[in-house]
Amino acid sequence: MDQYSHEVDVAVRAALDASLLCRQVQKELRGELSFTKSDRSPVTVADYGAQAIICKLLKESFPEDPIIAEEDSAELRKPDHSGILAQVTRYVRDRIPHASPEDVCGWIGSSSRSLADRSWILDPIDGTAGFLRGEQYAIALALVEKGKVTLGLLACPNLHLETGRPEGAKGSLFLAVTGRGACQMDMAGKNKQSLTTPEIGDISGVLYTESVEADHCDHGFHRHIAHKLGITRPPLRMDGQVKYGVVARGEAALYLRIPAPSEQGFKENIWDHAAGVLVAEEAGGRVTDALGRPLDFSSGIKLEKNYGIVVTNGIPHDRVLTALGFQKAPA
Ligand code: AMP
Ligand code: MG
C-alpha cells in the first residue's frame, strides 16, 4: 500500500464533504450567515461548518495528529454568536445527522498553534472574501511533517474543471503527495488527470494571477513586473489558493504575491499556502519567496522567514526573481 494512501483517502473524503456544505451555504447565503471576527476578518457559517466536518474525520482517522486550523470554537461559543452556532449545526446536520452544537464546537476545537513533528494544516475556506462575493475560494488541507509539506489538497468548488472553459462544469480538486506528482479531479473525486509543466513558447501570451484584495498584495508593482517580463495580458484575479491550482494546471504561468506598501510587516499564515505550494511544486512548478528562498514551514503558524511569494510553472523562475530585483526584504 502507498505510504500516504490512507491520508489521501481521508483528506479527499473530508474535503469533498465539506465542499458540499460550502456550496449549500453559498447558494443560500444571506447577511446573517457571516460576521466579523475580533481580528476584523470575515467568517461565515461555512468556514465553521467545513472545519467541523473535516476535523471530525481527521480526529477519528488520525487521533494522534494535531490539527492547526484557522477557526477556533471560542469565537463561536460567545453568547452573541449563538444564532451562528445554531446555523452551523443545522448545515453540519445535513451531512452528520444528530450532531449537536456541543459536538460541532468540539470538532472545530480550540486550535493548537504549535507545529508537531506531524500536523494537519487546514484553512476551511481560504478566500472568505471571494466566498462572500459568490466567487472563488478553496478548502485547503495539508500535512506538514518536520517542516516539509508531504500532502496538499485544494478543493475549489467554483473553479471550472477544464482549463480555458470558464463556462463549463464547476469544481476542481487538486491533490499532491510529496515525490508522487500532482493531479486534478472533479468534485466527485473522479476523472483524475496528472498535472505537468506546460510548454510555453512565447511569454507574452501567458497569464499571471494575483489576489483580488488590494491589501493582500501590490497590484501596481505586479503590473510593472509583468510588463518588464513582456507579459501583455491583464492579471487573472482570484481569491484563495485557487491561484496555486490554476498555475499547477498551466492555465496561468505565474502567481505573484508581493506585500502591499501598507502591509510590509505582514507574515503569511501557513494555512494560506502549505497545500498550494505542494500542488504547484509536484505539478513541476517552482515556489520561492521574492528573494528566491524556499518557503519555510518549520517556524510555526507564520512564514516568519519569508518575504512575498513567487510561483511559476513553465516560465523561467529566475527571470522573475531578477525582474523583482530584491536583494533583501524591505524593512
Ligand atoms: P487571497 O485570497 O489570496 O488574497 O488570500 C486570502 C488570505 O490572505 C486570507 O486567508 C488571509 O489570511 C490573508 N491575508 C490577510 N491579510 C493579508 C495581508 N495584508 N497580506 C497578505 N495576505 C493577507
Ligand atoms: Mg485563508
Side-chain angles (χ1 to χ4, degrees):
M1 194 162 88
D2 269 6
Q3 192 188 353
Y4 289 104
S5 59
H6 186 37
E7 283 82 353
V8 165
D9 175 58
V10 171
V12 169
R13 270 194 293 133
L16 290 179
D17 206 19
S19 298
L20 294 175
L21 179 145
C22 293
R23 278 182 158 168
Q24 189 68 21
V25 176
Q26 202 180 38
K27 209 161 71 185
E28 298 171 8
L29 196 65
R30 297 179 306 276
E32 71 266 28
L33 297 182
S34 71
F35 68 97
T36 306
K37 285 187 281 188
S38 36
D39 67 2
R40 291 189 292 126
S41 61
V43 68
T44 74
V45 164
D47 294 64
Y48 290 113
Q51 182 162 321
I53 285 176
I54 293 172
C55 289
K56 174 182 188 286
L57 205 53
L58 288 178
K59 285 174 183 183
E60 285 169 1
S61 306
F62 307 106
E64 309 288 313
D65 295 347
I67 305 168
I68 297 182
E70 181 167 11
E71 308 309 336
D72 195 304
S73 60
E75 193 86 42
L76 207 47
R77 288 183 199 270
K78 289 180 180 168
D80 285 4
H81 294 155
S82 59
I84 298 278
L85 177 56
Q87 294 275 25
V88 176
T89 307
R90 184 168 73 78
Y91 281 100
V92 170
R93 269 194 198 144
D94 284 346
R95 325 223 62 78
I96 307 169
H98 314 300
S100 68
E102 206 35 57
D103 291 334
V104 167
C105 286
W107 294 324
I108 291 169
S110 271
S111 177
S112 150
R113 287 296 185 242
S114 52
L115 276 172
D117 274 359
R118 175 177 142 120
S119 304
W120 289 93
I121 312 296
L122 171 66
D123 193 342
I125 292 196
D126 180 33
T128 306
F131 180 83
L132 286 166
R133 277 188 252 103
E135 296 173 4
Q136 297 297 335
Y137 63 98
I139 294 157
L141 180 61
L143 184 63
V144 174
E145 296 178 85
K146 297 195 164 75
K148 298 275 174 238
V149 188
T150 50
L151 184 158
L153 183 72
L154 296 176
C156 308
N158 276 348
L159 179 66
H160 51 281
L161 185 59
E162 276 182 60
T163 301
R165 282 202 60 230
E167 71 291 354
K170 297 257 185 298
S172 303
L173 188 77
F174 299 93
L175 170 69
V177 174
T178 184
R180 302 283 167 87
C183 65
Q184 181 185 306
M185 291 172 267
D186 62 21
M187 291 305 279
K190 301 253 167 11
N191 294 313
K192 196 189 267 194
Q193 290 182 309
S194 37
L195 301 175
T196 52
T197 306
E199 299 262 343
I200 295 171
D202 176 12
I203 201 171
S204 69
V206 305
L207 267 176
Y208 74 99
T209 182
E210 63 185 6
S211 289
V212 176
E213 301 293 317
D215 55 348
H216 291 182
C217 63
D218 190 342
H219 287 157
F221 183 59
H222 290 179
R223 198 179 314 122
H224 167 69
I225 296 301
H227 180 74
K228 226 169 144 179
L229 290 166
I231 297 174
T232 56
R233 293 172 73 185
L236 175 63
R237 290 195 175 146
M238 294 181 143
D239 298 280
Q241 287 166 74
V242 181
K243 293 184 280 297
Y244 284 98
V246 296
V247 173
R249 73 182 187 187
E251 196 160 4
L254 170 65
Y255 166 20
L256 282 177
R257 192 181 185 92
I258 307 304
S262 59
E263 304 285 318
Q264 288 298 310
F266 183 82
K267 293 289 176 196
E268 299 280 352
N269 298 308
I270 56 172
W271 53 75
D272 287 331
H273 299 283
V277 167
L278 194 67
V279 167
E281 288 181 339
E282 287 292 331
R286 273 192 69 191
V287 185
T288 65
D289 74 356
L291 284 85
R293 301 173 296 199
L295 300 193
D296 178 67
F297 287 99
S298 65
S299 305
I301 63 164
K302 300 274 180 186
L303 295 176
E304 293 290 350
K305 298 190 182 138
N306 295 109
Y307 175 77
I309 293 173
V310 180
V311 187
T312 56
N313 191 14
I315 60 167
H317 196 85
D318 292 340
R319 225 163 102 193
V320 180
L321 294 177
T322 305
L324 287 167
F326 290 108
Q327 306 301 326
K328 60 185 182 64

